Amino acid sequence: MGSCASCIGERLDAQDHAAAPIRCSAEKHATHSYEVSRVIEAARTLLPAGEISDFQRAWCTDETVDIFVRAREGNVLLAAEILAKALQWREEYKDIITGQKIPDWVTDLRVLARGYAGHPIIYTCAAVSPRQGASARDLIEQMAAVFEAAVGA
């Protein structure tokens, strides 16, 4: 049996806040994996060079791609369009996402903890505006670092 995101029906147990996955059949899991492959291939054709880098491909897990498929109600081409945009963005900010470049910290934005269900809790202080002279790029780079840390931790 598989446990892909498309095939998991999570229900939240109100008592202990634990997600209880419902596993899929091998046949349904194979069909879903094929759909994910189609979305990745369609996204590849939409990228400027028509290629997916190893860095981008590593991010295209079944679970990640399924988020895009569900967001576009199973429409492979629409899912591929938004996946391609996300892949382009990740490539543009690769040095920040991978930690090769440390962003210029321009405001108070950070990961505080994880909630009961395991979701990251990100804090920002509205009273602390971005540092004077900070560019939009500086703020985006800081946000990219914080959000990547949030989902990767």
Side-chain angles (χ1 to χ4, degrees), residues 25-47:
S25 69
E27 181 180 320
K28 184 177 179 186
H29 185 71
T31 300
H32 174 69
S33 291
Y34 173 71
E35 180 181 61
V36 165
S37 296
R38 287 179 48 216
V39 171
I40 294 169
E41 178 56 25
R44 180 193 62 77
T45 66
L46 298 171
L47 293 172

Side-chain angles (χ1 to χ4, degrees), residues 91-108:
E91 193 67 36
E92 181 180 349
Y93 291 94
K94 178 181 177 180
D95 55 342
I96 294 291
I97 292 170
T98 62
Q100 293 174 352
K101 177 183 176 190
I102 305 299
D104 187 9
W105 299 99
V106 297
T107 192
D108 190 1

Side-chain angles (χ1 to χ4, degrees), residues 76-126:
V76 170
L77 295 178
L78 293 178
E81 286 178 12
I82 59 173
L83 176 61
K85 289 177 182 175
L87 291 172
Q88 284 179 270
W89 187 90
R90 290 184 65 77
E91 193 67 36
E92 181 180 349
Y93 291 94
K94 178 181 177 180
D95 55 342
I96 294 291
I97 292 170
T98 62
Q100 293 174 352
K101 177 183 176 190
I102 305 299
D104 187 9
W105 299 99
V106 297
T107 192
D108 190 1
L109 178 71
R110 54 196 147 145
V111 181
L112 285 184
R114 292 211 172 269
Y116 288 117
H119 301 292
I121 299 170
I122 298 172
Y123 168 85
T124 187
C125 181

Side-chain angles (χ1 to χ4, degrees), residues 10-30:
E10 291 190 346
R11 31 178 217 270
L12 189 62
D13 184 319
Q15 190 171 17
D16 67 1
H17 301 282
I22 300 171
R23 301 214 179 257
C24 62
S25 69
E27 181 180 320
K28 184 177 179 186
H29 185 71

